[in-house]
Amino acid sequence: MKLASLRNGTRDGRLVVVSRDLTRALDATYVAATMRAAIDDWAVAEPGLRALAATLEDGSADGAFAFDPSQALAPLPRSHQFVDASAFLNHGDIMERAYDLAIKKTPGMCILVPRQGDDFRGPRDDYEFPTAEDQCDFEGEFAVITDDVPMGATPKEALTHVKLVTILNDVSMRKHLFREISLGFGLVMAKPATIFAPVAVTPDELGEAWHDGRVLLDMQVHRNGEPFGHPNGRGMDWSFGELLAQLAYNRRLGAGMVLGSGTVSDRDYRNVGSACLAERRALEKLDSGESVTPFMQYGESLQFEVFGLDGQSVFGAIDTRLVPATPANA
Amino acid sequence: MKLASLRNGTRDGRLVVVSRDLTRALDATYVAATMRAAIDDWAVAEPGLRALAATLEDGSADGAFAFDPSQALAPLPRSHQFVDASAFLNHGDIMERAYDLAIKKTPGMCILVPRQGDDFRGPRDDYEFPTAEDQCDFEGEFAVITDDVPMGATPKEALTHVKLVTILNDVSMRKHLFREISLGFGLVMAKPATIFAPVAVTPDELGEAWHDGRVLLDMQVHRNGEPFGHPNGRGMDWSFGELLAQLAYNRRLGAGMVLGSGTVSDRDYRNVGSACLAERRALEKLDSGESVTPFMQYGESLQFEVFGLDGQSVFGAIDTRLVPATPANA
């Protein structure tokens, strides 16, 4: 099942079921008015939503309409908990080598980064930021959305609470990153609003590509329509279940929590490239002593998409143009 | 105007207006079903809520009932953005001196700590955590709740978006704090769920004690009913407007964002004490070389309350008992 939230003038949009091929949608508001309502009460909402999805696939749906991703908000437009992991150690290793960082990791524990869920962006919204001097970068990531996860959940138990999977672009302002890491209290200016794919899908939509709490698919990244990288999710060093369990050590995770994987990073980076500029720049520095790939400028655009084992786009494409922040669009 | 969210079996509770003396309440759901609905559309909701509050004060209210703080959720039970500042430099200075920390602060910028808003706790809920070995501490703080703050807002502009003020106990697990600070990506295990007062109030309820974006009142802290400290909010080194503007540098702040002041800390600590154990323990270490005040144990309780210029309790009391986490209460 694939779900999206379409613009309707409200903060949370209206919930629709989307066809597997992403061409058609069906209003789902009589089952759950919003994705928030659905995930708050997933066990009640899921059967009705799946019934709608079935009618959309078999052609019996009444009132289906063309799905327009430019009308999509983030699948869950706001969340009360958003945490971004750094679960691809390959990425951190490259960064540490290139910049002589000595990140004081705790053995066995993944880096988890508390973030904010009040301003998730839709896949085709222009993305405004105050100055290109902040060294605008992107990070292509897999993400999951859960229902309630109890305190102390095991990885296996936590994984059963993963109800939806999607992708995101974790926009990053590199100028502020090392300063905020060395300060030590978390990432604020380095990590403004996050951009989501048009659609979130139940794990079964991934088929065998959803394995051991990981998405075994390529993250296709394009910059201005040109291929940039396509690292695979199989190299994730912690599963989403393990990450959720670490997070739930002394807290309950409320329904609708969004957990990002961290930038997808592939040990075969020589052949497949990276899902963020920082990693490519770090590899350039390691190879030649100098980073040459420039950070993002206003007017550039970024595309992220993942294709399933059947060759179809799973989540739809993120396609974002970067623009200056002005009073009008802030 | 004073507002609270009462238990009704839903995640967000039902909105009520509470009398100035905190003895009576009036259902407000026909104006806004929840605090979330009210803050999402504050300009529309506020006049109706104020009209209800007026009838409660002048005795003409129909259907008023006794206000029971044990039935209160947090005033805003869930938030899409919760950030905790460290705006009382006196606290940080004491901690840095006692523990030879060299926090790499940026001149002029306050430490802002991204937190999570999915599990705010009501004022009288038992508070469960997995082990007292985590060195359970508390922090008494002032907090504000805003409507939408645009990206790039000035301090003056940001302050106009403060719609409500309340207090919170920022529960802290000290065993994890220095490890997470030296890791550098934010506070997770060190900062589990946060506890709120029963009531949030519009700034005008504070009268002249709301001044220059600060609350000039004592934070009364009791441990097991015994006085622990009563530092005053006037020593806040950044106003709430300045903190919001710093945060809004490259992000929009969504309605219902909650911003904590950081633990209230008073340069007159010899006479007024502290609002957290860590600060008292640091002062003990500086004075005698040894911290003697123990961290919190299961079965202990904590009280936080603030009295206005008229001597009345402004927000009602936080009064929380600490209990072990068990599968039943997780």
Side-chain angles (χ1 to χ4, degrees):
Chain A
M1 176 168 62
K2 302 192 176 192
L3 298 171
S5 296
L6 294 186
R7 274 180 229 292
N8 68 348
T10 68
R11 295 174 186 268
D12 295 311
R14 69 174 172 123
L15 186 63
V16 297
V17 173
V18 181
S19 63
R20 284 208 169 110
D21 64 5
L22 305 177
T23 61
R24 289 162 304 124
L26 190 57
D27 187 271
T29 55
Y30 85 87
V31 177
T34 61
M35 182 70 99
R36 163 56 52 200
I39 200 71
D40 272 356
D41 208 1
W42 185 256
V44 171
E46 186 184 10
L49 295 174
R50 285 196 182 269
L52 284 178
T55 66
L56 196 55
E57 293 305 324
D58 70 16
S60 67
D62 225 24
F65 55 92
F67 177 64
D68 177 2
S70 74
Q71 291 305 304
L73 304 170
L76 180 65
R78 301 189 286 182
S79 171
H80 306 103
Q81 175 155 204
F82 174 34
V83 173
D84 194 32
S86 184
F88 291 85
L89 286 179
N90 185 60
H91 170 71
D93 291 348
I94 291 169
M95 297 299 289
E96 288 182 63
R97 277 193 287 134
Y99 297 102
D100 280 328
L101 305 174
I103 301 294
K104 293 177 181 158
K105 296 191 285 284
T106 304
M109 289 176 66
C110 185
I111 293 172
L112 296 173
V113 186
R115 301 287 297 280
Q116 298 301 336
D118 60 329
D119 192 22
F120 289 162
R121 300 296 175 85
R124 309 293 164 93
D125 299 344
D126 284 350
Y127 189 93
E128 64 276 13
F129 59 101
T131 170
E133 289 179 13
D134 282 350
Q135 302 181 334
C136 179
D137 194 357
F138 51 84
E139 298 193 355
E141 306 192 6
F142 294 103
V144 297
I145 303 173
T146 73
D147 65 356
D148 291 307
V149 181
M151 191 186 298
T154 64
K156 189 176 169 185
E157 182 185 1
L159 195 59
T160 67
H161 294 286
V162 170
K163 300 306 174 190
L164 295 166
V165 182
T166 190
I167 59 172
L168 59 81
N169 171 11
D170 174 24
V171 180
S172 301
M173 299 295 166
R174 299 291 173 188
K175 182 185 161 194
H176 299 287
L177 188 67
F178 291 159
R179 175 177 61 77
E180 291 189 329
I181 290 173
S182 70
L183 176 61
F185 291 85
L187 307 183
V188 181
M189 288 182 179
K191 297 284 186 177
T194 303
I195 303 166
F196 285 76
V199 161
V201 310
T202 48
D204 56 283
E205 287 290 332
L206 297 163
E208 296 188 359
W210 176 246
H211 180 72
D212 198 19
R214 294 164 173 84
V215 181
L216 311 187
L217 295 172
D218 289 351
M219 172 66 63
Q220 301 280 352
V221 184
H222 289 67
R223 179 179 187 172
N224 304 316
E226 299 293 319
F228 184 88
H230 54 94
N232 192 284
R234 78 169 72 82
M236 200 168 146
D237 291 275
W238 286 266
S239 71
F240 280 111
E242 289 168 329
L243 297 172
L244 288 166
Q246 183 180 322
L247 197 56
Y249 164 70
N250 60 358
R251 64 179 69 220
R252 309 185 294 209
L253 312 180
M257 92 145 283
V258 177
L259 175 63
S261 64
T263 191
V264 180
S265 185
D266 202 311
R267 288 183 173 77
D268 187 25
Y269 51 82
R270 298 276 170 210
N271 290 309
V272 305
S274 298
C276 70
L277 286 176
E279 187 173 300
R280 177 183 283 192
R281 288 172 53 86
L283 290 166
E284 291 167 347
K285 185 163 184 286
L286 288 169
D287 283 351
S288 71
E290 194 185 2
S291 302
V292 294
T293 300
F295 287 108
M296 301 302 296
Q297 300 296 319
Y298 293 139
E300 289 197 271
S301 69
L302 289 165
Q303 294 79 32
F304 301 81
E305 196 160 12
V306 169
F307 296 90
L309 299 175
D310 60 0
Q312 289 202 16
S313 180
V314 181
F315 311 103
I318 297 174
D319 187 353
T320 307
R321 195 167 60 102
L322 303 174
V323 300
T326 67
N329 64 24
Chain B
M1 175 168 63
K2 302 192 176 191
L3 298 171
S5 296
L6 294 186
R7 273 179 228 292
N8 67 348
T10 68
R11 295 174 186 268
D12 295 311
R14 68 173 172 124
L15 186 63
V16 297
V17 173
V18 181
S19 64
R20 285 209 169 110
D21 64 5
L22 304 176
T23 62
R24 288 162 304 124
L26 190 58
D27 188 89
T29 56
Y30 85 88
V31 177
T34 61
M35 182 69 100
R36 163 55 52 199
I39 200 72
D40 272 356
D41 209 1
W42 185 255
V44 170
E46 185 184 9
L49 296 174
R50 285 197 182 270
L52 284 178
T55 67
L56 196 54
E57 293 305 323
D58 71 15
S60 66
D62 225 23
F65 55 93
F67 177 63
D68 176 2
S70 74
Q71 291 304 304
L73 304 169
L76 180 65
R78 302 189 286 182
S79 171
H80 305 103
Q81 176 157 203
F82 173 34
V83 173
D84 194 31
S86 184
F88 290 85
L89 286 178
N90 185 60
H91 171 71
D93 290 347
I94 291 169
M95 297 299 288
E96 288 182 61
R97 277 193 287 134
Y99 297 102
D100 280 328
L101 305 173
I103 302 294
K104 293 177 182 157
K105 296 191 285 286
T106 303
M109 288 176 67
C110 185
I111 293 172
L112 296 173
V113 186
R115 300 287 298 280
Q116 299 300 339
D118 60 330
D119 192 22
F120 288 162
R121 301 296 175 84
R124 308 294 164 92
D125 299 344
D126 285 349
Y127 190 93
E128 65 276 14
F129 59 103
T131 169
E133 289 179 14
D134 281 349
Q135 302 181 333
C136 179
D137 194 358
F138 50 85
E139 297 193 356
E141 305 192 7
F142 295 102
V144 297
I145 304 173
T146 73
D147 65 357
D148 292 307
V149 181
M151 192 187 298
T154 64
K156 189 175 169 185
E157 181 185 1
L159 194 60
T160 67
H161 294 285
V162 170
K163 299 307 174 190
L164 295 165
V165 182
T166 189
I167 59 172
L168 59 82
N169 171 10
D170 174 24
V171 179
S172 302
M173 298 296 167
R174 299 291 172 189
K175 181 185 161 194
H176 300 286
L177 187 68
F178 291 159
R179 175 177 62 77
E180 292 189 329
I181 291 173
S182 69
L183 176 61
F185 290 85
L187 308 183
V188 180
M189 289 182 178
K191 298 284 185 176
T194 303
I195 304 166
F196 285 76
V199 162
V201 310
T202 48
D204 57 283
E205 286 290 332
L206 296 164
E208 296 188 358
W210 176 246
H211 181 72
D212 198 20
R214 294 163 172 85
V215 181
L216 311 187
L217 295 171
D218 289 350
M219 172 67 63
Q220 300 280 351
V221 184
H222 289 67
R223 179 179 186 171
N224 304 315
E226 299 293 319
F228 184 86
H230 54 97
N232 192 284
R234 77 169 74 83
M236 201 168 148
D237 291 275
W238 286 266
S239 71
F240 279 111
E242 289 168 331
L243 298 171
L244 289 166
Q246 183 180 321
L247 196 56
Y249 164 70
N250 60 358
R251 64 179 67 220
R252 308 184 296 209
L253 312 180
M257 92 145 283
V258 178
L259 174 63
S261 64
T263 190
V264 180
S265 185
D266 202 311
R267 288 183 172 78
D268 187 25
Y269 51 81
R270 298 277 171 210
N271 290 310
V272 305
S274 298
C276 71
L277 286 175
E279 186 173 301
R280 177 183 282 191
R281 287 172 53 87
L283 290 166
E284 290 167 347
K285 185 164 184 288
L286 288 170
D287 282 352
S288 70
E290 195 186 1
S291 302
V292 294
T293 301
F295 287 109
M296 301 302 296
Q297 300 297 319
Y298 293 140
E300 289 197 271
S301 69
L302 289 165
Q303 295 78 34
F304 300 82
E305 196 161 13
V306 168
F307 296 90
L309 298 175
D310 60 0
Q312 289 203 17
S313 180
V314 180
F315 311 103
I318 297 173
D319 187 353
T320 307
R321 195 168 59 102
L322 303 173
V323 300
T326 68
N329 64 25

